[in-house]
Amino acid sequence: MIIEPDGENLLLTDEESFTHIYAVLKKLRGVDFTNYKRTTVLRRIERRMVVTHSMTLAEYAKILDDNPEEVGVLLKEILIGVTNFFRDPAFFEKLKEKVLYPIVQNAKEDEPIRVWSAGCSTGEEAYSIAILFQEIMEELHTKRNIKIFATDIDVQAIEQAGKGEFAENIIEDVTPERLAKYFIKRNDQYVISKSIRRMIIFAPHNMLSDPPFGRLDLISCRNVMIYFQPVLQRSLFAIFHSALKNGGYLFLGKSETANDYSDVFKVVSSVEKIYMHRSAGKIDNTPIPTFSVPSFQPIQNRNLDMQKKDNHYYDTESLYTHVLEKFMPATLVVDSSNNVIHFFGNYADYVSIAPGKASFNLFNIINNDMSLAASTSLSRCRAENIPVTYSDIPFETRDGRKLCDLSVYPIDVPGNDVNELVAVIFRTKEDKPDPETEDEGIFEKYDIDATSARRITDLEQELQESQNDLRKTIGELETVNEELQAANEELLTANEELQSSNEELQSVNEELYTVNTEYQQKVDELTMMTNDLSNFLSSTMIGILFIDSDLNIRKFTEYIGREFQLMEQDVGRSIQIFAHSFPYEKIVDDAQNVLKTLAPVDREVVATSGKFYTLRIAPYRTTENSIKGLVITIIDSLGVGARTSAEEAAETAKPDTAKPDAAKPADAQTPENGTPDGRQG
C-alpha cells in the first residue's frame, strides 16, 4: 500500500521554494530565518497561503516576489509579537525578590544598573521590570540610575512600545494599585508615566547579528529561544555570556532552560527560570552554519504562459523580449555611466565589439560616425529630461554609406526622481514613425559643424563647472588639512605630556617599590616580635588580659583564660558578663575605678581552687601616653614562694567577726563593705 504524503510533508519537501522565501525575507527585511524551527515558520506560511489562496509553496513564493507588503505581513506573522504585562505573575514576584532587590541594594549610587530586555515586542515586559525597580526604590527609600535597553527586530513593534500607550484590556494583567500609580488614563487608553518611561531605551536590534550590550546586571529574554534551533540557541547563550557581569542574572521563559550550560549559568530558581552568571565558565560556541543561498531572483511562474518556439520554451517575459528584439528598431538601453545594459532589434550596423578586453560602454562600441551625435543628444536629454533627435546622420556600413536618425529618450523608473536610464534608438527611412505620433522634444537636422560647436560649448560649460567644483574641493581640503595639522600638533603636545606623566609614574612606581620593601621588612620584624611575645607569655606563669575603655575583651593569654572561663570567640565581648574564679573580688568595680583614677590596683587574691595569685589592674598606655583601656595580670604567688600554707593565707584573708570553715571559702560571709577583708570593691 502506497501512503501519500500529507500537505505539510509536501511543503517541507519543497526545499527550493523554502530557500527562495528565506532569501526574499533576508533581502527585503534583513532577517535570516534559516536556523529558526522549520515547523514554526511553516505554520505561519500556511496561514498566509490560506489568506492569499495559494495552492502550493511555489505559488506563495511568487506572491512574495510581486508583493513587498506581503513580505512584511509574513515577517510579522513569523516574529509572533505575543506579550503582556507581568506575564506569569509569580515569576515576576520571584524575580523581584531574588534578583531586583539584591541588584538595587548592592549597586553604588553613582553606578548605573544596566538591564537588557531582549525581544521585548511592544514593550510590556520592559515596562513591567521598570515598575518593579521603581517599587523597590520606593520601599528602600533610595535612588538608583536604572537603564533598561529594550530591543526587538520588529521595527513597528519598537515604535509602538516607545509610545507607551496601551489598550484598556491591560487591567486584566496590572493591579489597580499599579494602574493608578504608574499609568495615566487618556480617553480609552492607558499611558505609562514619565518616571517609568525615562528608565527605558527602545531600539530595533537583531540580537544574533548586531553587537550586544555589555556590563549588564540582568538580561530578560523570555519565550524567544523556543523558536530557535539548538545551534542558534547556543549562539545566543554565548552572547549572553559575554554581555553579563559576573554575578549578573538571566531571566528566561517558563518553557526555556539554561541547564545545558550549568558551568556558566547557576540556577537561582529552577521553576521561575532565573540563573546567575559565572564569568569564569565557558560555552563552546559552534559558529552558526551559513547556507549558500543563490542571489535573489524573482521566481517566474513555471507552469503558466509557456510557449514553444523552435524547440525552445519561453515564459511570458522571455516571449515579449523575443518579439521586441525581432520587430522594434535598433535600440540600446544605457545607464548613467553610459554602459549598455540591453540590446533590442538589429543593431549590427550601429555598434560593434572591438577585439581585446570586453566593454559595453556606448562610446567604445558605437559607430565612429555617430559618436558626436550620440554624446550631444545624451547630454541634452539628461540635462533637460526630454527626448532629443538628430536626423539624417551619415554613417558608413558594410553595405555602403547610409543615413539614419538617432533619438534619445529618458526612461521613467517608478520611485526614482532622477532618470538614470535612457533609450538610444537608431531609425532608418523604413523605421521612421509617423510625425504626428512622434513624442514632443528636440528635433534637429544633423549638422556636423553646428553639433560640434554645441558639443564644444557643452564640454566647456562642464569643464567650467568641474573647475569650480575642484576649486571648492581644494579649499575644503585646505581647511581640513589646517584642522588636521592643528589636531596633529595637539596630539604631539598631548603625547609629550603623556611621556612626561609616564616618566613621573615610573619614578613614583620605583619609590612605591622601595617603600613596599621597607614595609615588608617592618612586617617581618613585627611578625617576629609578635612570635617572641607570644612564646614569652605562654612560657611564663603569668596571665594577662587586655580590655578596652568599655571593658570589652581585646586579647588574653591562655593562663588567665582558665580563671575567667574565656574562649577565642569571646574577644569583643564585655568582661562584665563572665564569671571568674575569685569570689571575694569585685574585679569589674576595681577596673572601673582604675579607669577613673588611673591608680593601679595591686594585691593578692585567692581563687576558688584555693590557689593564691597576685592581681594587678593597671591602665593601658600608648606611646603617646593616652589611655586605651586596662591590663589585668595574675601571677601564681605559690610559684614565687610568696605563701607556703594556703590555710594560713585563707585565715589571714578572713575578717575577725566571721571565721567560716576554711574548706568552704565559697560560703564566706561578706560584710557590708563588699569584700572579705573590708576593702571597698
Side-chain angles (χ1 to χ4, degrees), residues 201-319:
I201 301 170
F202 289 100
H205 182 273
N206 188 331
M207 67 178 75
L208 294 166
S209 60
D210 293 336
F213 301 93
R215 298 180 294 106
L216 296 170
D217 298 281
L218 167 66
I219 293 178
S220 176
C221 183
R222 309 192 71 225
N223 305 310
V224 174
M225 285 186 286
I226 57 176
Y227 305 109
F228 294 167
Q229 293 183 19
V231 64
L232 219 55
Q233 294 179 5
R234 189 184 307 114
S235 297
L236 196 55
F237 277 115
I239 291 171
F240 292 164
H241 178 36
S242 65
L244 280 168
K245 290 180 179 177
N246 184 39
Y249 296 89
L250 177 63
F251 185 33
L252 301 178
K254 62 181 179 182
S255 298
E256 299 164 332
T257 179
N259 292 340
D260 292 340
Y261 311 97
S262 57
D263 188 41
V264 175
F265 297 103
K266 176 186 175 184
V267 176
V268 175
S269 181
S270 60
V271 176
E272 288 77 14
K273 308 299 181 180
I274 300 173
Y275 302 86
M276 179 180 287
H277 176 241
R278 295 171 171 171
S279 59
K282 292 183 180 180
I283 292 180
D284 182 17
N285 181 23
T286 305
I288 299 175
T290 56
F291 299 91
S292 178
V293 179
S295 59
F296 174 75
Q297 296 290 339
I299 290 181
Q300 305 300 330
N301 193 323
R302 303 179 182 87
N303 301 318
L304 303 175
D305 300 320
M306 300 303 290
Q307 305 292 330
K308 188 171 183 180
K309 177 76 172 177
D310 298 328
N311 296 326
H312 294 284
Y313 289 94
Y314 300 94
D315 59 19
T316 304
E317 181 182 352
S318 300
L319 180 62

Side-chain angles (χ1 to χ4, degrees), residues 472-517:
K472 183 180 179 181
T473 302
I474 290 173
E476 293 174 353
L477 286 174
E478 288 176 349
T479 303
V480 172
N481 188 47
E482 291 174 359
E483 294 175 354
L484 287 174
Q485 281 184 330
N488 186 47
E489 291 174 358
E490 293 176 1
L491 286 173
L492 288 174
T493 304
N495 185 48
E496 292 174 357
E497 293 175 356
L498 287 173
Q499 260 185 324
S500 176
S501 300
N502 186 49
E503 293 173 359
E504 293 176 2
L505 287 173
Q506 185 68 26
S507 176
V508 170
N509 186 49
E510 293 174 357
E511 293 175 4
L512 287 174
Y513 181 79
T514 303
V515 171
N516 184 56
T517 303

Side-chain angles (χ1 to χ4, degrees), residues 325-342:
E325 289 175 347
K326 182 174 181 180
F327 295 106
M328 75 179 296
T331 303
L332 310 178
V333 179
V334 180
D335 64 14
S336 58
S337 301
N338 295 325
N339 292 318
V340 180
I341 61 175
H342 210 296

